[in-house]
Amino acid sequence: MRYQFLTLCLVFFISAITANATPIAANPDDGEYQEQLKAHFAKKGIDISPYFEDERFEIIETIKKKFTRSAEVKIKSLDDYKKVLRYEEKKEAAASFYAAYKEPLAKAEKEYGISQEVIIGILGVESAFGKYKGSYNPFNAYVSMYAKGYRKKFALAQLEELLKFTQRENLDVLALESSYAGAMSYAQFIPWSINRWFVGNDLYNMENNIYSVANYLAHYKKVTGSIEKAVLRYNPSSLYQQAVLALAKDVEPLTE
């Protein structure tokens, strides 16, 4: 009886606490984020409801981990970073890429003042010269960041830029491909960069990507004062910078 009494008291005590407890905040995945985003874009005259209803829309549950556990965060040495990048494969592929795009590379160098070797370095590291475009969707990526509370302001700003771009170019936003960070095409531009430095209308035209990389780097070379610092504006990781510049150095014999 004593144990039964204690058990009943404990049950009553827990029930009382539960009844008077402050409700737990709603999970951001419960649809509240959709209403917030719908209201935000409605003020801009954009109805994004159909995107949420589309079967291609999905939340990337592990979006935060993809950023916090990226190679640039986890890896400490350039040698290990190069292994993850498959650097030697990119180095070997550079010859055929240069042969195929020798003229636009030379034109970009002349017009923007950025060496074709550095342009090759960027495109090699970013997408293996067009081999990789990303396996995510930029709308899903940025909505996921917003929903999960990871870099919400950045995600919202990129969503605005993304929809500006897709509306201007009359594109299906959910048909686009990107990295988990929402970076698109062979140059891996985020929407903000696309709207400012992408040259041409076709995202998947390699010549456009070559000119766009040069255009972007030319801007930041002027801002920062050096090509080394400009590359860091592409990706703030020193390992990334070193890999790009190493690849640029390795392809110099091709362009001589």
Side-chain angles (χ1 to χ4, degrees):
M1 287 292 293
R2 179 185 178 188
Y3 293 114
Q4 291 178 338
F5 176 74
L6 289 174
T7 300
L8 289 172
C9 287
L10 182 60
V11 170
F12 176 79
F13 179 68
I14 292 174
S15 299
I17 291 177
T18 303
N20 293 305
T22 302
I24 298 173
N27 188 300
D29 291 341
D30 66 358
E32 182 181 351
Y33 70 89
Q34 292 189 16
E35 297 308 314
Q36 292 174 358
L37 290 173
K38 287 176 186 178
H40 176 83
F41 282 99
K43 293 177 182 177
K44 299 178 180 295
I46 303 173
D47 179 15
I48 63 171
S49 299
Y51 303 140
F52 293 128
E53 297 165 4
D54 194 295
E55 63 180 5
R56 294 169 297 174
F57 170 70
E58 62 180 349
I59 288 293
I60 304 168
E61 297 293 338
T62 58
I63 190 70
K64 184 176 180 179
K65 288 182 180 179
K66 292 185 181 299
F67 281 95
T68 59
R69 297 183 182 180
S70 67
E72 288 84 357
V73 174
K74 293 171 61 179
I75 296 173
K76 303 303 178 184
S77 76
L78 181 58
D79 286 341
D80 288 341
Y81 186 62
K82 282 184 173 181
K83 290 176 184 177
V84 172
L85 289 179
R86 296 182 177 179
Y87 182 89
E88 292 302 318
E89 292 181 19
K90 297 175 190 294
K91 183 178 172 181
E92 290 179 10
S96 59
F97 177 76
Y98 178 70
Y101 295 100
K102 185 175 181 179
E103 290 185 10
L105 284 165
K107 182 180 177 181
E109 180 178 77
K110 182 178 181 180
E111 183 172 346
Y112 296 101
I114 301 299
S115 77
Q116 50 194 321
E117 293 86 2
V118 173
I119 298 171
I120 292 171
I122 290 283
L123 288 168
V125 171
E126 287 292 344
S127 66
F129 307 114
K131 185 176 181 180
Y132 304 111
K133 296 182 291 185
S135 57
Y136 297 88
N137 171 266
F139 182 82
N140 289 344
Y142 293 124
V143 171
S144 297
M145 290 171 67
Y146 185 92
K148 296 298 183 180
Y150 183 74
R151 300 178 68 188
K152 287 182 69 172
K153 290 183 179 180
F154 169 80
L156 185 58
Q158 293 311 312
L159 275 173
E160 291 178 3
E161 295 288 344
L162 177 64
L163 294 177
K164 284 180 187 177
F165 169 68
T166 54
Q167 290 190 335
R168 183 177 71 242
E169 301 298 331
N170 194 29
L171 297 173
D172 177 359
V173 70
L174 288 170
L176 295 174
E177 296 172 293
S178 75
S179 68
Y180 63 79
M184 290 172 276
S185 194
Y186 312 134
Q188 288 290 278
F189 273 16
I190 59 174
W192 191 80
S193 297
I194 286 175
N195 286 335
R196 286 157 181 80
W197 294 290
F198 195 84
V199 178
N201 297 320
D202 185 354
L203 271 181
Y204 297 103
N205 176 284
M206 183 56 81
E207 291 189 18
N208 288 351
N209 280 263
I210 288 170
Y211 300 137
S212 299
V213 169
N215 190 25
Y216 182 95
L217 291 176
H219 172 80
Y220 280 109
K221 182 181 178 182
K222 184 177 181 180
V223 170
T224 65
S226 74
I227 189 62
E228 292 80 10
K229 291 179 180 177
V231 171
L232 282 174
R233 291 301 184 96
Y234 218 105
N235 185 318
S237 164
S238 62
L239 290 176
Y240 173 89
Q241 179 205 49
Q242 292 174 66
V244 167
L245 296 178
L247 186 54
K249 183 70 175 177
D250 283 338
V251 301
E252 284 181 357
L254 297 174
T255 60
E256 290 178 349

